[in-house]
Every structure is written in structure tokens, then in C-alpha cells.
Amino acid sequence: MGLETVKTYDASDITVVSICYGDYYWDKFSDAWIEAISMLDPAPAEVILVSDVARDIPGVRNIVTQQDHMADYCNAGAMAAGTEWVLTMGFDDLLMPEAMSSFATDADAYGYPMMMTGAMQGLFGYSGGFESILDVSHNPMLGGCMHRRRLLEEIPWRRFGWFDWAPFAEMRYFGRTFDSGDMPRAFMVRHDRAHSLRGDSSYQHEMDHFKAQLRSGLIEIGVQ
């Protein structure tokens, strides 16, 4: 159990942050993403889209930035959120209508399963492994995740190839907590340009080195 009192959170406590840069993702996924956002019931407190060019979408706050890494886009959106929780998602991830259903936790981050569609099918969800994340060679943190905004202030996304893996290792080392539920909240579209499907030995080396630095006490929390 974490330091928080177990509490139930609802849609009013959540900001959805998504990122989109370049034409490919916008051209391929914008219609489905906009439709999914419009169907959220209940609706979140706010939806933020961080993009490299202006995108006028009713009901969505657009932050325009031109950074060098997708982690920078995620950090910009998270820091603009005004709620307790931030749900950060790829533009090719599509929230289910019931995605903002309430949940109860005392943890710093809360995971949820996703349903894979497209080139791969099935449930993509967490089944354990956070406690051993510093000692294994794979990323056990499957599925989507909501983070407390203050956690993302402490441990922002790092400019890593697999940038969604590093924060969980950092969380574990510095004693932050993770919890997860069984309710799927999004579709994870599997396509040939999906970032998470790209195997890259340099990304693996980067993560192995980062975890070794954490275990040796050489990383200062949140410092890039």
C-alpha cells in the first residue's frame, strides 16, 4: 500500500493527453481518434492533444510544439493538465466509451488492459512484474496507464527509444507505487509503423544501461 488513502476517482479527476506529429498518424488515425474522444461517457475533465501543427478539434485543447522527441510532447501535455490523474496515450490508441469509469487506488500510477486490434489480436494487460522490473531484460508493464500528475513532475518521460519503459524502472527504484485494474479501457491498434513493435538493439542497450545506473545509485530522480 502507498502513502495515499485509498480513494475512488472518476472522470472529473482525469485529463487525457495524446500526441501527434507528422502527417502519417494524423492522416491514418485522426477520424477514429476524434470519434473515440467524442464518445467518452462520462467525459474526462479535459482532453489535450500535443501536436507539431495546429489541429482544431471541438472540445480538445491543442498545444502546439516542435520538439525533438515524443517524450517532450508527452511532458508538455502532462504539465498542462490540471487534474489529479493524467492518462497519456498514443494517437493510434483509441479509448473505449467507458474508459473514464471510476477506479479506486492509493498508488502513484494505475494500469489498465487494452484490447489489441489490427495486425495482432487479444488482451494486452499487466500480469505482474513491476517489483522485478530492475532485474529483468523485458518490459513487464503491459497495457495502458494513468499517472498522478505530481508523479510526472517528479519522474517525467525521458528521451529514450522505449521511453514508456524507463519511468517504471525509475518509479520502482525510488519507491513509487503501481496498481492495476482488470477493466479494458482502450483499443491498441497494431500496425506496421507502431513504435512499440519496432525491435531495436540500441533501445535495449539504452534500457539495460539505465537500469544498471539505477541499481548503482547513479541516477538522480527526474534529472535528464
Side-chain angles (χ1 to χ4, degrees), residues 16-211:
V16 172
V17 172
S18 189
I19 67 172
C20 182
Y21 53 90
D23 293 333
Y24 174 81
Y25 275 80
W26 179 260
D27 292 343
K28 186 172 180 66
F29 295 106
S30 59
D31 289 346
W33 187 88
I34 292 169
E35 181 181 10
I37 290 297
S38 70
M39 293 178 65
L40 291 174
D41 184 18
E46 188 172 30
V47 178
I48 297 173
L49 176 66
V50 186
S51 58
D52 56 345
V53 297
R55 303 294 188 185
D56 186 11
I57 305 171
V60 175
R61 175 154 60 122
N62 184 208
I63 296 173
V64 179
T65 185
Q66 292 183 340
Q67 299 290 335
D68 294 329
H69 198 287
M70 64 182 75
D72 299 325
Y73 285 76
C74 290
N75 286 330
M79 293 305 98
T83 54
E84 175 80 5
W85 291 91
V86 179
L87 187 158
T88 306
M89 55 184 283
F91 200 65
D92 53 352
D93 295 333
L94 304 175
L95 291 172
M96 297 176 176
E98 63 274 18
M100 299 294 107
S101 296
S102 62
F103 62 97
T105 189
D106 66 344
D108 297 305
Y110 182 83
Y112 56 87
M114 304 172 74
M115 294 299 301
M116 292 189 293
T117 66
M120 300 174 68
Q121 309 287 323
L123 188 69
F124 186 75
Y126 177 76
S127 60
F130 176 66
E131 293 77 11
S132 59
I133 193 170
L134 293 169
D135 303 306
V136 296
S137 60
H138 66 284
N139 182 8
M141 309 307 292
L142 307 183
C145 190
M146 289 181 268
H147 300 77
R148 292 188 193 266
R149 186 187 181 280
R150 69 159 188 265
L151 175 66
L152 294 176
E153 290 179 338
E154 278 191 313
I155 302 176
W157 306 99
R158 291 179 178 269
R159 299 180 188 92
F160 282 13
W162 288 328
F163 77 102
D164 56 347
W165 183 350
F168 289 113
E170 197 167 354
M171 281 174 57
R172 175 59 178 156
Y173 181 78
F174 288 107
R176 303 307 182 263
T177 54
F178 174 80
D179 187 13
S180 64
D182 297 327
M183 174 186 160
R185 294 175 184 260
F187 295 104
M188 186 180 196
V189 182
R190 305 284 72 196
H191 56 96
D192 57 4
R193 291 183 60 173
H195 180 74
S196 59
L197 291 181
R198 296 179 183 177
D200 192 308
S201 60
S202 66
Y203 293 175
Q204 183 70 51
H205 176 75
E206 185 177 52
M207 275 307 307
D208 291 343
H209 179 64
F210 179 65
K211 289 185 293 181

